[in-house]
Amino acid sequence: MDPISNPYTPGAGVRPYELVGRGEFIDGFDVALQRSGLRLAARSKILYGLRGVGKTVLLQEFVEHARRRKWLVIEMEARTGQSLMSVLVGQIFQELRDAGRTWSGETLTWVRRVFKAFSLTADPSTGTYSFEVDLEPASGHADSGDPDRDLPEMLGELVSLAGHHGVGLLLAIDELQEVDGPTLSSLNTTIHRMGQGPEPSPFLFVGAGLPSLRRILSEATSYTERLFEYWQIGPLSDDAIRAALKGPTTAHGVRWDPEALDAGVEFCRGYPYFAQVLGQRAWDVAEGTPIARDAVAEAIRYAGRDIDAGLYAARWQRATRGEQRFMQAMADSGGGPVLMSELVTALGRDRPAQLSPTRNQLISKGLVYAPDRGEVDFTVPGMAEFVKRQEVL
Ligand SMILES: Nc1ncnc2c1ncn2[C@@H]1O[C@H](COP(=O)(O)OP(=O)(O)OP(=O)(O)O)[C@@H](O)[C@H]1O
Ligand SMILES: [Mg+2]
């Protein structure tokens, strides 16, 4: 069918035609948002899961819901080696500038002045940010240079501004596992403080990232298990995958042959990214409605190649030979989390410490993560099978 009108959305963070199978999380977030708006206790959320399971699109859905309620929203993506504070400064600036379109008055001016003081210490490299009217920085506020003090103060001012206008503040950070330990600790302190006091502040935090987040956060501060509600974003049910495959074509008056759909569901193994890749291929291959069995069989072959090329091959090639050998030993161990001690034996070493540099490199390249201490696993679903298909090194 016409590729120009192809309704599928393979990619990173690309909003699908319909966000299937995540209703429970969306409802849970809405309850938290409304409770928080009413200054009732509501816990911040951490979305964790493997690559391509749909964390970013869900996070964006939450952001959308907060915006619909006219909340202030600070959203960003953490990157390796980049200072979160400087990105945060830029995002706060944008939000405070945009706030000027609907709000005015002393509270807004005051928060902008605190922001100026904050930005000068938090990110001196970018110079001053200016609003329509030039403002004096509110010296002595959120500008001590200690993020443990400045971050809660700055965000606290934003929450007051939001509260003053009858809404709240949502802070949403994607790829949270990339944030360095000290900044995470300041972030945790901030979130913790927002929940204290005579009544909770209208503030919510949502973080998304790899399954190692739970451990990383609790290593940064001790009370995170109580601070956050952890939501595991796992594979979708077969029914949800069926809906992800079928939904986008319905609007075009195109059906899927039931057997073709079953074959598609089996191929996807619950991964929404696979559903988007397969759907896209099936649309292109199919002659018209219904999308037939043989068209899907052909699309599955193409989609398999697309996934190999787009998801696995680039990652595999990013690894050195030593790292590839390490991954082969992981894949050979049967899939799922592997103990480092097992890999020591498999790779003919004496101690786990000898493998630490390779393991750390693979973590920083984003290929593996540590689900728990002394364990490693692949970040991408199906990577073990791909690795097994590679030539033995
Ligand atoms: N619930 C869903 N329904 C339909 N499609 C989805 C759903 N969730 C994700 N997708 C699709 O799956 C793909 C991956 O989504 P997304 O980028 O949000 O995953 P992710 O978990 O953030 O991955 P990464 O860890 O690589 O950042 C996208 O093509 C998106 O359109
Ligand atoms: Mg993502």
Side-chain angles (χ1 to χ4, degrees), residues 146-352:
D146 173 6
D148 272 350
R149 279 179 56 190
D150 297 349
L151 200 58
E153 255 182 68
M154 182 69 248
L155 293 179
E157 293 290 353
L158 287 168
V159 172
S160 305
L161 173 68
H164 181 76
H165 292 91
V167 292
L169 170 72
L170 175 70
L171 174 62
I173 306 184
D174 203 358
E175 303 290 350
L176 190 61
Q177 77 281 344
E178 299 301 334
V179 177
D180 61 275
T183 310
L184 270 186
S185 159
S186 305
L187 206 58
N188 289 344
T189 311
T190 307
I191 299 162
H192 187 53
R193 283 204 203 147
M194 294 283 188
Q196 291 174 331
E199 66 176 9
S201 308
F203 169 79
L204 270 187
F205 171 80
V206 195
L210 291 176
S212 47
L213 257 185
R214 213 181 170 124
R215 179 183 50 78
I216 292 174
L217 283 166
S218 68
E219 278 170 8
T221 2
S222 60
Y223 46 75
T224 49
E225 291 294 324
R226 279 161 289 145
L227 194 60
F228 299 117
E229 199 172 332
Y230 287 92
W231 285 348
Q232 179 171 18
I233 311 304
L236 293 169
S237 67
D238 282 356
D239 280 348
I241 289 288
R242 201 165 266 124
L245 287 172
K246 225 167 57 170
T249 60
T250 314
H252 295 265
V254 173
R255 286 187 304 108
W256 283 64
D257 166 272
E259 276 186 28
L261 191 60
D262 286 345
V265 171
E266 196 186 322
F267 169 83
C268 295
R269 290 182 295 150
Y271 289 107
Y273 175 69
F274 293 3
Q276 299 301 336
V277 174
L278 175 65
Q280 188 177 53
R281 284 296 193 173
W283 175 278
D284 286 352
V285 170
E287 303 282 349
T289 188
I291 297 181
R293 236 202 108 99
D294 55 348
V296 170
E298 193 181 343
I300 284 177
R301 278 196 302 280
Y302 286 133
R305 272 184 244 156
D306 289 347
I307 292 168
D308 271 6
L311 209 57
Y312 306 129
R315 288 189 159 85
W316 177 248
Q317 281 151 17
R318 234 187 291 153
T320 62
R321 254 181 118 72
E323 290 160 6
Q324 290 178 342
R325 247 179 250 127
F326 184 101
M327 289 193 282
Q328 286 187 326
M330 282 174 68
D332 288 342
S333 83
V338 193
L339 287 170
M340 284 293 285
S341 52
E342 256 180 69
L343 296 178
V344 169
T345 321
L347 291 163
R349 303 295 170 88
D350 306 319
R351 284 171 292 116

Side-chain angles (χ1 to χ4, degrees), residues 87-119:
V87 184
L88 187 68
V89 166
Q91 294 304 107
I92 297 178
F93 170 71
Q94 272 185 26
E95 199 62 11
L96 280 178
R97 192 194 49 199
D98 294 351
R101 296 205 192 114
T102 39
W103 299 341
S104 56
E106 277 171 30
T107 317
L108 179 64
T109 307
W110 168 251
V111 178
R112 284 177 165 184
R113 288 184 54 207
V114 174
F115 167 76
K116 282 200 104 174
F118 173 73
S119 68

Side-chain angles (χ1 to χ4, degrees), residues 51 55-56 174-175:
R51 294 272 167 227
K55 302 176 296 293
T56 300
D174 203 358
E175 303 290 350

